[in-house]
Amino acid sequence: MQISNVQLINLPKVFDERGNLSFLEANKHIPFEIKRSYWIYDVPGGEQRGGHAYITTEEFIVALSGSFDVLIDDGRNKQRISLNRSYYGLYIPKGIWRSMENFSTNSLAFIVASTVYSEHDYQRDYSQFLMLNNASQES
Ligand code: TYD
């Protein structure tokens, strides 16, 4: 997998003077079936989350509140993407190393995932990730 497969996706935004509304539907606004959602909050200043890849899980990450950076890495190229609006998000396919940092005070990261939680789907060893991913990109 390559970071060119990572995609910023704009979500629908329904403007309303009572307050705006955005939404997402599986297989329509994001390219997978949703099996799980989770959120990251109360992140102390300077902390980093993530720091792993998934073997099969696809995710879509939205900054529902505040801002943070997502660092993506396919083993060859790296990119930093800042998320700071609730009406777009970042689609990350399987096989991409990611971490999240620079969380603003009271930021809220909302993530939908294509799988239920399983520790077996994590690649937490960066050198192993590099070996597997570079091998698969060469073949
Ligand atoms: P982890 O995915 O490692 O956090 P990060 O967002 O920093 O990558 O998850 C931290 C712990 O939380 C993990 O060891 C188990 C638990 N967890 C669940 O039980 N279910 C989940 O859906 C997630 C994402 C994590």
Side-chain angles (χ1 to χ4, degrees):
M1 195 54 73
Q2 298 176 10
I3 59 170
S4 55
N5 298 107
V6 173
Q7 235 185 305
L8 264 179
I9 297 177
N10 279 312
L11 297 171
K13 187 173 182 185
V14 184
F15 289 97
D16 193 312
E17 56 194 24
R18 299 170 302 160
N20 299 330
L21 182 152
S22 287
F23 57 92
L24 63 84
E25 293 178 15
N27 291 320
K28 187 167 175 189
H29 305 103
I30 56 168
F32 59 85
E33 197 68 60
I34 299 167
K35 292 275 178 57
R36 173 168 55 111
S37 19
Y38 63 94
W39 42 101
I40 296 171
Y41 54 98
D42 291 347
V43 179
E47 283 296 341
Q48 191 184 70
R49 299 290 318 210
H52 54 72
Y54 296 113
I55 299 164
T56 67
T57 301
E58 301 166 70
E59 286 193 331
F60 183 70
I61 305 174
V62 185
L64 280 190
S65 179
S67 63
F68 50 85
D69 294 344
V70 185
L71 297 146
I72 50 167
D73 177 351
D74 61 15
R76 298 200 169 174
N77 297 299
K78 298 179 197 220
Q79 199 180 333
R80 174 183 294 268
I81 295 156
S82 185
L83 296 181
N84 51 25
R85 292 285 183 274
S86 57
Y87 52 81
Y88 63 76
L90 193 65
Y91 165 70
I92 308 185
K94 65 180 181 178
I96 299 286
W97 192 270
R98 91 286 308 279
S99 52
M100 296 157 75
E101 61 183 34
N102 277 339
F103 287 88
S104 68
T105 306
N106 289 331
S107 57
L108 171 60
F110 179 67
I111 298 114
V112 290
S114 65
T115 60
V116 295
Y117 173 76
S118 167
E119 186 58 35
H120 299 301
D121 200 47
Y122 281 74
Q123 281 183 319
R124 294 193 186 271
D125 183 330
Y126 187 67
S127 49
Q128 206 175 21
F129 165 77
L130 283 182
M131 240 158 48
L132 289 171
N133 217 43
N134 286 332
S136 72
Q137 285 184 29
E138 273 151 23
S139 61

